[in-house]
Amino acid sequence: MNAEGFALFDTAIGACGIAWSAWGIAGVQLPEAGEGATRSRMQRRFAQVPEAPPPPQVQAACEAIRALLAGEPRDLAELVLDDEGVPDFHRRVYEIARRIAPGHTRSYGDIAAELGDKGLSRAVGQALGHNPFAPVVPCHRVLAAGGKPGGFSAHGGATAKLRMLMIEGARPPSDTAPLF
């Protein structure tokens, strides 16, 4: 990935980060504990890349992500990703995850089965745990068996995952699952 720049942008859940290249979005960062922590994460992820005002197509991507995180049912499928350097298996997982509509969920096992081997559930979870494009690749919409939230590598863990699902109007994984 040859990112050209990165920027932070405000959303309903906090400051997110976005990096871009000539080929598309090179990475998205969900909010960390604060804007400074998000900026530091972007600087580590995209070392040697300057913070800069986003070009028009990246600004449009920021607006779409902002709308999704404010509760608009946006699938973000129109956003072009620069997935150079992303392993092929991860790309295939991300393509499937991008087809999950806002407010809906699938399980790691569902995605593994679509890939042709239900035994790949753990590998699907690992691929989603390394997702450099959240929430454009909506890993928060993928749950563990039995509707449990499972892991979530973004700041706030499973609580953040459930919060994002609630914003999208998804039903809780179970009637007894705590949402916050």
Side-chain angles (χ1 to χ4, degrees), residues 65-151:
I65 294 166
R66 186 178 287 123
L68 172 74
L69 296 176
E72 289 183 28
R74 305 286 295 267
D75 68 6
L76 308 179
E78 74 279 7
L79 302 183
V80 176
L81 303 179
D82 176 358
D83 60 3
E84 180 183 333
V86 174
D88 182 60
F89 179 79
H90 291 206
R91 283 185 188 146
R92 292 175 24 224
V93 170
Y94 300 164
E95 287 170 11
I96 294 168
R98 287 190 83 182
R99 294 194 311 258
I100 305 169
H104 294 86
T105 61
R106 291 188 71 187
S107 72
Y108 299 110
D110 291 339
I111 292 175
E114 187 169 332
L115 290 167
D117 183 353
K118 188 91 167 169
L120 293 172
S121 295
R122 185 167 297 206
V124 167
Q126 290 172 347
L128 291 170
H130 289 96
N131 174 12
F133 306 109
V136 178
V137 172
C139 51
H140 63 283
R141 297 180 191 147
V142 184
L143 304 174
K148 295 181 179 140

Side-chain angles (χ1 to χ4, degrees), residues 3 6-7 10 29 45-47 51-52 84 87 90 108 122 125 128 133 138 145 149 159-160 170:
F6 81 89
D10 289 326
Q29 178 65 48
R45 284 181 64 190
F46 301 97
E51 186 168 0
E84 180 183 333
H90 291 206
Y108 299 110
R122 185 167 297 206
L128 291 170
F133 306 109
T159 300

